[in-house]
């Protein structure tokens, strides 16, 4: 999936610091200081939106810290030279617009 300037701008409406990066051949979105609702609380974390297949998932969201109280089976992955945490969350299609994809992933933490 190639992310358009318009799609990146939509993500920047939610996270002003959203930037495109490449990890190998994959275009990904680095979301710095993303506000994440976890249960009834809010947290500020860094995130990576991986808008394509990764490790058996159709798309992935990686966070700078895990929230094991809200999601199961957390794993650690090295992306952009640092560790990122992700949980077992299936069914977010890679053909969604990136903003919608991000919101679907974040729903698992509410």
């Amino acid at each position: 999936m190639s992310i358009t300037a318009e799609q990146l701008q939509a993500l920047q409406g939610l996270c002003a610091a959203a930037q495109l990066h490449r990890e190998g051949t994959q275009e990904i979105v680095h979301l710095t200081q993303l506000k994440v609702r976890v249960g009834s609380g809010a947290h500020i974390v860094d995130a990576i939106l991986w808008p394509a297949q990764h490790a058996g998932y159709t798309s992935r969201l990686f966070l700078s810290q895990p929230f094991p109280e809200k999601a199961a089976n957390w794993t650690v992955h090295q992306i952009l030279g640092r560790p990122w945490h992700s949980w077992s969350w299936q069914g977010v299609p890679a053909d969604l617009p990136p903003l919608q994809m991000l919101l679907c992933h974040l729903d698992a933490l509410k």
Side-chain angles (χ1 to χ4, degrees):
M1 166 182 220
S2 182
I3 296 172
T4 67
E6 181 178 278
Q7 291 170 328
L8 180 61
Q9 189 173 29
L11 285 166
Q12 288 168 337
L14 185 65
C15 179
Q19 294 182 335
L20 294 179
H21 288 271
R22 286 200 97 58
E23 181 76 3
T25 61
Q26 181 60 50
E27 189 173 61
I28 60 176
V29 183
H30 185 208
L31 302 146
T32 303
Q33 296 189 340
L34 175 67
K35 186 175 183 179
V36 175
R37 179 148 307 279
V38 179
S40 62
H43 300 268
I44 304 296
V45 298
D46 291 345
I48 296 283
L49 178 62
W50 194 286
Q53 177 127 9
H54 184 283
Y57 294 83
T58 54
S59 65
R60 296 294 297 262
L61 181 65
F62 299 93
L63 303 176
S64 55
Q65 71 179 69
F67 296 99
E69 68 276 15
K70 289 307 290 181
N73 301 323
W74 287 85
T75 56
V76 179
H77 304 263
Q78 290 291 322
I79 303 170
L80 298 178
R82 66 179 267 201
W84 294 91
H85 305 268
S86 192
W87 64 101
S88 182
W89 182 246
Q90 287 282 10
V92 179
D95 62 352
L96 290 176
L99 178 59
Q100 187 65 38
M101 185 185 301
L102 174 61
L103 294 174
C104 287
H105 281 291
L106 291 175
D107 276 347
L109 300 175
K110 290 182 180 176

